[in-house]
Amino acid sequence: MAQDRAVRRRAAHLGPEKRRPLILDSALQVYLAHGYRGTSMQAVADAAGVTKPVVYECFKNRDELLLALLGREEQRLFDAVIAALPKTPDFENLETLIGQGLEAFLIAATETPDSWRVVFESSRTSDSPVAKRVRAARETVLGRLRDLVVMYLATTDVEDTERKAPVLAELLASICESCGRMLIVDKQPWTPAELAQYVSRLMTLGVKRA
């Protein structure tokens, strides 16, 4: 509690550029608790322990604030996915490739759960500019996993690759999102490695038979 008060005092006396990260930290907590509609400039100011004009010095309106927040959390999640991906993917083994990609995503999600919630749990909130940006962020994060699928199919003798690659890639993206929700929201008793191994085995059986 004393630490929170100290952070708030610092936020009140810093200039706008140094204050912005602290305002974003407070906005993150308000957004996770109350969603888009419940995240007002006043609510963020209250959470940061500053006045509303102080928040407006950093961000001209709510959408600018939330877009900045989303950009930060998207980058954190994307960086975590890239860091967890193997440096040399195994394109000789589809099950290993899917498992590596899924495990990387799940490790990133569980290490940055707040970022995951902002990017993936907020995409259906509204048609606001923020919601549209959320959906774009989702595509950015999942796009790297789709790239792995396309690269794999390009090295195989699979027929009709151009039609099949988007289908397999979209299935993988949807599975990644669902598995992330299982671990972060539903608290299912799996580790990222265990769940990735099990799901990649199931997916590989289906792909090979198709």
Side-chain angles (χ1 to χ4, degrees):
M1 200 70 175
Q3 184 177 5
D4 288 344
R5 286 195 294 269
V7 170
R8 292 176 179 181
R9 285 196 297 270
R10 287 200 301 274
H13 293 91
L14 294 172
E17 287 305 312
K18 292 183 178 180
R19 191 185 295 124
R20 283 169 65 94
L22 299 176
I23 297 298
L24 289 176
D25 289 342
S26 297
L28 174 61
Q29 299 310 313
V30 174
Y31 189 81
L32 290 173
H34 303 291
Y36 174 78
R37 296 185 184 281
T39 304
S40 65
M41 300 296 266
Q42 184 63 60
V44 173
D46 291 343
V50 298
T51 63
K52 189 160 65 170
V54 169
V55 179
Y56 276 107
E57 286 179 5
C58 299
F59 303 96
K60 65 182 180 182
N61 55 46
R62 180 177 66 166
D63 279 353
E64 181 180 281
L65 168 61
L66 292 179
L67 287 170
L69 173 64
L70 175 59
R72 186 184 74 171
E73 301 310 312
E74 174 193 352
Q75 191 62 51
R76 284 178 175 175
L77 183 56
F78 185 76
D79 288 347
V81 170
I82 296 303
L85 281 171
K87 298 298 182 287
T88 54
D90 185 358
F91 291 109
E92 299 297 321
N93 187 313
L94 179 59
E95 181 178 331
T96 300
L97 180 66
I98 292 175
Q100 288 174 334
L102 179 55
E103 183 177 355
F105 176 81
L106 295 178
I107 288 173
T110 53
E111 288 181 350
T112 56
D114 288 347
S115 300
W116 186 92
R117 287 177 184 273
V118 169
V119 173
F120 286 93
E121 287 292 281
S122 308
S123 59
R124 299 178 296 276
T125 54
S126 69
D127 290 326
S128 70
V130 173
K132 293 175 182 177
R133 183 67 179 78
V134 166
R135 290 190 283 271
R138 173 187 179 276
E139 293 304 306
T140 298
V141 173
L142 294 178
R144 185 66 185 90
L145 304 179
R146 290 192 183 93
D147 291 344
L148 289 177
V149 172
V150 173
M151 292 166 67
Y152 166 78
L153 291 179
T155 66
T156 67
D157 295 326
V158 174
E159 296 180 359
D160 206 6
T161 300
E162 287 189 8
R163 284 205 310 156
K164 291 180 179 178
V167 175
L168 182 56
E170 187 58 35
L171 284 173
L172 178 59
S174 297
I175 287 172
C176 284
E177 187 171 352
S178 296
C179 288
R181 187 169 290 107
M182 289 173 63
L183 295 183
I184 295 173
V185 179
D186 300 334
K187 307 293 184 184
Q188 293 290 333
W190 294 81
T191 67
E194 291 170 341
L195 188 55
Q197 183 180 27
Y198 177 62
V199 171
S200 64
R201 191 179 307 128
L202 292 177
M203 278 195 72
T204 304
L205 289 173
V207 170
K208 288 182 176 178
R209 290 177 180 176

